[in-house]
Amino acid sequence: MCGIVAYIGKKEAYPIVVKGLKRLEYRGYDSAGVALLSDNMRVYKKKGKVADLENEANGKDVSGSIGMGHTRWATHGEPNDRNSHPHFSDSGDLAIIHNGIIENYATLKEGMVQRGHVFHSDTDTEVLVHLIEDVMQNANLSLADAVRASLKQVVGAYAIVILSKNHPEHLIAARKGSPLVVGIGKERGEYFFASDATPIVEYTNKVVYMNDGEIAIVENQEMIIKSIDNVVQVPYVQELEMNLDQLEKGGYPHFMLKEIYEQPRSIFDSFRGRFDATTGEFHMRSLEEYQDKLAEMKRLILIGCGTSWHAGLVAEYLFEDFARLPVEVEYASEFRYRNPVLFSDDLVVAISQSGETADTLAAMDLAKRKSASVFGVCNVVGSSIPRMSDAGAYTHAGPEIGVASTKAFTAQVTVLALLALGMAKIRKTMSVKAISDVMSELESIPSKIEKALELNDQIIKLAEKYKDVRNFLYLGRGYNFPVALEGALKLKEISYIHAEGYPAAEMKHGPIALIDEEMPVVVIATNSEHYEKVVSNIQEVKARKGRVIAVVTEGNRDLDKLVDHVIEVPETIEALSPLVNTIPLQLLSYHIAVMRGCNVDQPRNLAKSVTVE
Ligand code: G6P
């Protein structure tokens, strides 16, 4: 949460910083601010979106080849101009932007107030900048040393950038627990700093992902990275595998729609080159290198948050069916605060699009401390979760920018299906032929999703009909129970309609009381072992005059007379049906949200990367 971006070099900083902030806006959009440095420091900050900041700065002096910017998701202090970053030291020399939470800010603030510092915001961040100035003045330290000394007093998570009016050639950045990437510019002395690589990609493809406890000091056109204990680190320079097209809307009105339509390609990318369906062979490094360890595993614990947790729920069925392993699926935020019983032959699989979700990271940390092995399934290359994992697999969905996750979910399910098949092979719970058959079916999924996307016009009509309702119910069984949860989550996230997902059979233990002629019920009724049971559940809804939208397998005409609307999706095996069945539900929530005038890509109160607990 919160996005930070900074530039030091010879170019004008403002356009680079503002463009970067727009790319990072998915991380929060409560307020935005910039600081620009040349022979003086100018600051503009504003409640609202980056566009509001641009209006604020319009016509004012935005010159300077050093600058930094922040887009905020409020934690401490309401979203207003005053609480917007950057924040300043008393002398006005130092400015700071921060992503994370300073947990001991109240204690530190008390000390600073006693020492005469005057606070101008309600944020936890502001204490840091006072502390650094205090240390710099009283211990007579250089700026970089004062930052290091101050950070030693901090409990919590941070990615920070600091500029100093009195040190106009300097830029200091540090990270612990919140992401920070450094782009190494093409010209000498040019560096970019950002919460992820998206603001950097059009200027350079050489990046360094900073590690926890590191501080980057740019001075006299050179950057050195040190540990917080002042030991010089050798940065690991990586090549970015990202291109600009992935970060643009490409003619679509919203990133979410673009990402929904990208799924045939993103699913293909998530399995491409990873297996050979004719031989049943896998080419996944993590499966090969980690094979012995995986063979010993007695239990899987899948952890994640939000949509990633839903992918974990689908994977529970996959691992049980294919690999015959006991599986538990846990919200990372709950798992981390329990006292879970873990063994060294447990494998904890952390699922995350961003790779930065604070609760998932903390749950992984707990699992490691309790001697379990940790495997990461993650989309963002170089993010914290893969770096903390013992082994893992990237989902390769490409950057996902819409806050409501779509293509990342189907890519996660795809990779988890492959892992379940891989485990089946290692544990010999499926024949090679059976594994090959599932692989062949997986190869056909991208074209089936193309077909499912052709439902768009039908779904627009449905959205028109139901856009004004106040509640929605989603029902599914087995593999499609998590799909019902995900369908409901998508709708509430972006359209603000209350929606619940339920296992179809559980409906009679509660939600059935809500059903009347006003209540639309989306039922996933594609071919499956439980199809007849699902039809009985539909009967129960219809008996109470609920309006049923049934997602059925192409060619199934049996429900035409029973339900109000039928959505036909291409046939696949039940284990892979979540990949196809999710598509019409994503489209339905998208169109309803658009028709209700909601900001689809940036729904209120949400952020894409939740780096606070
Ligand atoms: C936020 C996002 C969701 C996402 C969840 C977990 O709530 O808005 O779309 O599913 O975080 O994020 P992760 O990056 O760990 O998958």
Side-chain angles (χ1 to χ4, degrees):
M1 316 197 120
C2 298
I4 64 177
V5 57
Y7 174 78
I8 182 164
K10 294 201 171 58
K11 299 186 178 77
E12 280 300 299
Y14 180 72
I16 295 171
V17 169
V18 165
K19 199 168 188 185
L21 286 182
K22 286 186 179 162
R23 297 250 167 85
L24 294 176
E25 218 168 7
Y26 72 85
R27 302 178 71 87
Y29 27 84
D30 287 334
S31 68
V34 289
L36 302 159
L37 186 59
S38 47
D39 41 359
N40 61 7
M41 180 138 47
R42 275 138 296 115
V43 173
Y44 306 107
K45 44 192 204 173
K46 198 73 200 150
K47 177 181 173 183
K49 303 266 164 79
V50 179
D52 298 303
L53 168 70
E54 281 185 292
N55 286 339
E56 174 71 12
N58 195 9
K60 302 191 176 131
D61 180 6
V62 291
S63 62
S65 59
I66 304 175
M68 63 184 186
H70 185 270
T71 177
R72 179 168 187 246
W73 189 88
T75 57
H76 295 59
E78 65 175 89
N80 57 27
D81 295 353
R82 209 165 56 85
N83 288 330
S84 306
H85 300 214
H87 294 288
F88 293 90
S89 60
D90 284 323
S91 72
D93 172 31
L94 302 180
I96 192 168
I97 52 174
H98 167 223
N99 167 33
I101 287 187
I102 308 302
E103 288 170 13
N104 60 339
Y105 86 99
T107 320
L108 292 173
K109 185 170 177 177
E110 209 178 296
M112 287 298 108
V113 170
Q114 274 169 16
R115 293 169 68 81
H117 292 270
V118 180
F119 283 73
H120 301 280
S121 77
D122 313 313
T123 64
D124 53 329
T125 301
E126 193 183 346
V127 77
L128 266 182
V129 75
H130 291 295
L131 180 63
I132 295 166
E133 181 156 90
D134 198 273
V135 170
M136 195 158 75
Q137 287 171 350
N138 291 301
N140 201 16
L141 293 178
S142 69
L143 175 59
D145 287 345
V147 172
R148 277 193 313 98
S150 303
L151 291 179
K152 284 190 172 176
Q153 299 184 45
V154 164
V155 179
Y158 52 80
I160 52 170
V161 180
I162 294 153
L163 294 181
S164 160
K165 213 157 51 176
N166 300 333
H167 300 78
E169 299 300 313
H170 279 54
L171 184 151
I172 313 257
R175 104 155 243 184
K176 185 182 159 221
S178 297
L180 196 54
V181 190
V182 189
I184 301 171
K186 294 186 176 137
E187 295 165 18
R188 179 162 179 257
E190 183 178 56
Y191 297 95
F192 304 80
F193 292 78
S195 299
D196 72 25
T198 58
I200 297 173
V201 63
E202 62 209 89
Y203 309 105
T204 175
N205 65 352
K206 294 214 169 359
V207 293
V208 174
Y209 291 94
M210 285 182 66
N211 293 312
D212 275 351
E214 286 184 343
I215 157 165
I217 304 150
V218 183
E219 195 177 352
N220 300 326
Q221 302 196 323
E222 296 291 344
M223 178 179 74
I224 49 170
I225 295 186
K226 289 180 169 181
S227 72
I228 200 158
D229 295 319
N230 210 21
V231 179
V232 174
Q233 308 290 301
V234 181
Y236 172 47
V237 182
Q238 299 190 40
E239 288 232 337
L240 266 186
E241 285 173 21
M242 195 187 275
N243 63 55
L244 264 184
D245 294 350
Q246 294 175 310
L247 307 177
E248 311 280 335
K249 286 191 196 140
Y252 287 91
H254 298 99
F255 280 110
M256 183 181 176
L257 191 62
K258 178 188 176 220
E259 287 156 7
I260 290 173
Y261 272 85
E262 272 174 359
Q263 288 174 105
R265 153 76 33 197
S266 55
I267 289 180
F268 177 70
D269 285 344
S270 63
F271 68 65
R272 181 164 50 120
R274 285 179 152 170
F275 62 79
D276 182 340
T278 49
T279 60
E281 289 297 316
F282 288 89
H283 311 291
M284 289 178 79
R285 220 173 62 203
S286 51
L287 281 182
E288 283 158 20
E289 288 174 3
Y290 212 53
Q291 182 160 343
D292 295 344
K293 192 97 188 158
L294 291 175
E296 288 165 14
M297 293 302 158
K298 299 275 185 301
R299 180 172 68 147
L300 286 186
I301 298 161
L302 310 177
I303 54 171
C305 302
T307 292
S308 297
W309 181 72
H310 291 162
L313 289 177
V314 176
E316 181 174 21
Y317 294 85
L318 290 164
F319 279 105
E320 282 179 359
D321 275 352
F322 293 169
R324 305 300 302 135
L325 266 168
V327 183
E328 286 167 29
V329 187
E330 302 266 5
Y331 281 119
S333 54
E334 288 298 313
F335 182 79
R336 66 177 287 193
Y337 284 120
R338 292 215 321 271
N339 186 11
V341 180
L342 289 174
F343 304 101
S344 55
D345 51 12
D346 282 332
L347 182 65
V348 173
V349 181
I351 307 163
S352 174
Q353 188 287 128
S354 64
E356 301 294 349
T357 303
D359 284 323
T360 309
L361 280 164
M364 288 171 79
D365 183 51
L366 175 72
K368 288 185 104 167
R369 279 189 280 115
K370 287 185 175 269
S371 76
S373 301
V374 177
F375 194 100
V377 172
C378 187
N379 194 36
V380 177
V381 176
S383 56
S384 301
I385 286 175
R387 288 192 295 157
M388 199 181 188
S389 307
D390 298 314
Y394 282 116
T395 48
H396 295 308
E400 188 181 67
I401 294 168
V403 165
S405 186
T406 51
K407 66 173 180 171
F409 172 71
T410 47
Q412 285 167 342
V413 172
T414 304
V415 168
L416 288 161
L418 279 184
L419 291 172
L421 287 174
M423 292 285 270
K425 185 159 191 207
I426 292 169
R427 293 168 55 79
K428 301 190 177 38
T429 49
M430 281 170 85
S431 68
V432 173
K433 161 86 174 64
I435 291 174
S436 293
D437 288 348
V438 180
M439 286 175 168
S440 302
E441 185 56 27
L442 186 55
E443 285 181 324
S444 75
I445 291 291
S447 62
K448 291 182 177 172
I449 289 188
E450 292 279 8
K451 196 102 198 287
L453 288 167
E454 289 171 13
L455 292 163
N456 193 45
D457 288 345
Q458 184 195 351
I459 288 173
I460 290 175
K461 291 197 185 95
L462 270 180
E464 271 159 8
K465 206 168 174 55
Y466 290 104
K467 67 180 192 316
D468 296 319
V469 302
R470 300 186 56 191
N471 299 290
F472 249 95
L473 194 59
Y474 288 73
L475 301 177
R477 289 185 89 125
Y479 279 95
N480 285 295
F481 157 52
V483 174
L485 291 177
E486 177 59 11
L489 178 65
K490 281 299 81 95
L491 188 72
K492 61 189 152 199
E493 276 182 313
I494 60 170
S495 74
Y496 318 139
I497 293 176
H498 170 247
E500 281 194 58
Y502 245 78
E506 274 293 303
M507 176 190 62
K508 55 178 109 33
H509 299 291
I512 200 163
L514 300 171
I515 290 174
D516 59 16
E517 57 278 9
E518 298 295 314
M519 176 69 102
V521 184
V522 177
V523 187
I524 300 139
T526 47
N527 291 354
S528 73
E529 228 180 290
H530 316 291
Y531 171 74
E532 299 300 337
K533 310 266 180 216
V534 176
V535 174
S536 303
N537 299 137
I538 292 177
Q539 296 278 12
E540 290 156 10
V541 175
K542 285 313 297 176
R544 286 152 186 91
K545 299 198 167 43
R547 291 188 282 173
V548 173
I549 301 163
V551 179
V552 304
T553 304
E554 211 164 36
N556 179 358
R557 308 248 66 96
D558 294 353
L559 302 183
D560 285 6
K561 291 211 169 64
L562 177 63
V563 305
D564 300 74
H565 312 276
V566 173
I567 298 173
E568 291 182 56
V569 293
E571 180 165 21
T572 181
I573 56 173
E574 190 180 354
L576 299 181
S577 65
L579 293 169
V580 178
N581 296 349
T582 299
I583 306 299
L585 308 193
Q586 293 172 344
L587 287 170
L588 182 64
S589 27
Y590 171 78
H591 288 299
I592 288 181
V594 170
M595 286 171 196
R596 288 166 69 91
C598 300
N599 187 338
V600 170
D601 283 336
Q602 295 175 346
R604 70 183 178 208
N605 304 339
L606 296 179
K608 189 152 187 71
S609 175
V610 180
T611 55
V612 297
E613 61 172 286

